[in-house]
Structures are given as C-alpha cells and as structure tokens.
C-alpha cells in the first residue's frame, strides 16, 4: 500500500507504540552519542546515522562493523546505553504524544522499544509521558528490529492477533518489523514516509483514537 497522509480511519483491537522518534524526540542525544562512536571507529557520522534509528545498539554495530565479534558489540552497547540513560538534554515529547497516550488509558496498547528498561523509563519521564502498563523492551527479546519478535510479543501479551494490531513507528527498521509481524503501520515523522508505512503523519497531533462499542478501536489519521 502506498503511504498516504490523506485522512483515513483504521480499525484495530490494539496499538503497539515505538518510543524514540514516535513518542519521544531523542534525536539530539542519539546524534551526539552515535557521532562520537562513529568518530572513535573512523566511520562517517552521516552514514552511521542512516543505520542506527530503530535498532538495538549492538545490532547497528553489527551492520556497521560486520567483522567485529558480537561480544565487543554487546560490551560497547552496554556502555552506550549507560551514556544515553545519563544524557536527557534535549529529550522532549513528540507533538501530540501526551494527549495521544492519555486517550489510550484503559485501551489495549503496549510500548515496543529497542531501548532497555532504564533508558525507556528515563526518556519517557524526561518527556513527561506516561509509561504504558505493557512494555516490550530490549531485555524482552532475543532479536532486534527489523525482526518482528518485539511486536509479536506485544500482541501476545495483549492477547490480540497480530493482524488486529496497528503499529506506530518512525524508522525503517521499525516499520519493517511491523510489516514482518503482519501488522499495519502508521509512520510518524519525517523519517517514516520513505519506508513504506500504510499511512504517514507529521506527528501525533494528526491521530485520534476512539473506542467503539464492539470493542474495536477507530484510529483517525490525518
């Protein structure tokens, strides 16, 4: 399906929400930390930034340094997660995110993020956002996006079939993961449109969710 920004309504039974770039704008800190990492390894920062969004850090490193042992990637990733968790400068909510999350109280939804528990908790708090009750974090999965494991696990924890879930994502890796899980994807923000989401919005001010009497959710987009 061609991504469109035209007004449309999707029907679902649950929503699965990415964090960085979708609910939280953490681009400033992600740029700082990954560009420092790129410099340390003699890599072009712009090329590195094309890879890192949406993936767990060690998965990005495996793409960027394919000959390096995974043990080194995992150790490097642990250090970078600690750096990111300590750096909240510039972390803010995506426009419309507070209202969007408030509208989902009591409705089936989950956070599905490549961040770990400390980082996701810190970033959501820094952005002034509520953490969903159901959360799938880096510790919860064996494979990073673009593998669909996280989204499939989120659907299972909510007790909803994958085809009845709608994913909100900003990155190519995340959109690919949602598609691989058999879910429809709402792309959020400027990165999303080129990666084939079903629909795309500028930010979450363009999304409204209504609970219907039959138990489904109407997702008004655009």
């Amino acid at each position: 399906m061609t991504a469109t920004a035209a007004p449309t309504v999707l029907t679902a039974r649950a929503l699965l929400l990415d964090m960085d770039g979708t609910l939280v704008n953490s681009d400033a800190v992600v740029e700082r930390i990954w560009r420092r990492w790129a410099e340390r390894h003699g890599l072009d920062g712009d090329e590195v930034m094309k890879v890192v969004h949406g993936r767990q850090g060690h998965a990005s490193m495996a793409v960027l340094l394919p000959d390096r042992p995974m043990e080194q990637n995992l150790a490097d990733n642990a250090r970078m997660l600690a750096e990111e968790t300590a750096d909240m400068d510039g972390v803010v909510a995506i426009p419309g995110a507070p209202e969007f999350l408030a509208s989902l109280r009591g409705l089936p939804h989950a956070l599905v993020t490549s961040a770990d528990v400390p980082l996701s908790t810190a970033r959501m708090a820094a952005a002034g956002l509520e953490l969903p009750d159901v959360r799938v974090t880096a510790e919860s999965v064996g494979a990073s996006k673009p593998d669909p494991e996280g989204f499939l696990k989120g659907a299972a924890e909510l007790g909803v079939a994958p085809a009845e879930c709608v994913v909100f994502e900003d990155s190519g890796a995340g959109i690919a993961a949602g598609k691989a899980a058999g879910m429809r994807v709402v792309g959020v923000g400027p990165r999303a449109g080129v990666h084939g989401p079903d629909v795309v919005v500028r930010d979450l001010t363009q999304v409204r969710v209504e609970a219907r009497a039959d138990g489904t959710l109407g997702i008004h987009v655009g």
Side-chain angles (χ1 to χ4, degrees):
M1 186 184 297
T2 301
T4 176
T8 189
V9 182
L10 303 175
T11 298
R13 290 193 176 274
L15 306 186
L16 301 177
L17 315 174
D18 174 51
M19 182 182 71
D20 292 300
T22 302
L23 298 173
V24 173
N25 183 344
S26 57
D27 281 0
V29 62
V30 171
E31 289 261 350
R32 282 195 295 276
I33 286 176
W34 276 101
R35 286 186 182 276
R36 285 201 299 264
W37 183 89
E39 188 174 353
R40 286 198 298 271
H41 293 280
L43 300 174
D44 181 87
D46 291 340
E47 294 304 311
V48 167
M49 294 313 301
K50 292 176 183 177
V51 171
V52 301
H53 292 290
R55 290 179 170 86
Q56 291 186 37
H58 63 80
S60 296
M61 293 170 194
V63 172
L64 293 161
L65 297 174
D67 297 326
R68 190 165 80 153
M70 183 54 73
E71 295 76 25
Q72 290 185 34
N73 293 341
L74 291 168
D76 216 357
N77 183 51
R79 286 191 294 271
M80 288 181 70
L81 281 170
E83 284 184 57
E84 289 185 88
T85 304
D87 185 354
M88 292 295 132
D89 188 25
V91 174
V92 295
I94 293 290
E99 297 82 2
F100 175 68
L101 285 171
S103 76
L104 298 183
R105 288 183 196 132
L107 303 180
H109 69 288
L111 187 72
V112 181
T113 176
S114 293
D116 62 6
V117 168
L119 181 57
S120 57
T121 303
R123 279 193 179 155
M124 291 288 280
L129 298 176
E130 298 178 31
L131 273 169
D133 291 337
V134 177
R135 300 185 286 277
V136 179
T137 61
E139 298 94 337
S140 310
V141 297
S144 169
K145 300 172 186 177
D147 191 281
E149 181 186 355
F151 287 124
L152 292 172
K153 184 160 189 175
E157 291 200 18
L158 292 170
V160 177
E164 294 185 307
C165 295
V166 167
V167 165
F168 283 73
E169 264 285 0
D170 72 300
S171 71
I175 291 166
K179 291 290 189 181
M183 301 171 181
R184 290 153 295 156
V185 181
V186 175
V188 180
R191 277 192 292 270
V194 298
H195 296 294
D198 295 290
V199 294
V200 62
V201 294
R202 179 185 65 251
D203 56 41
L204 293 171
T205 64
Q206 294 186 296
V207 181
R208 180 174 62 85
V209 179
E210 63 167 344
R212 295 171 173 165
D214 65 356
T216 63
L217 307 175
I219 306 156
H220 299 257
V221 178

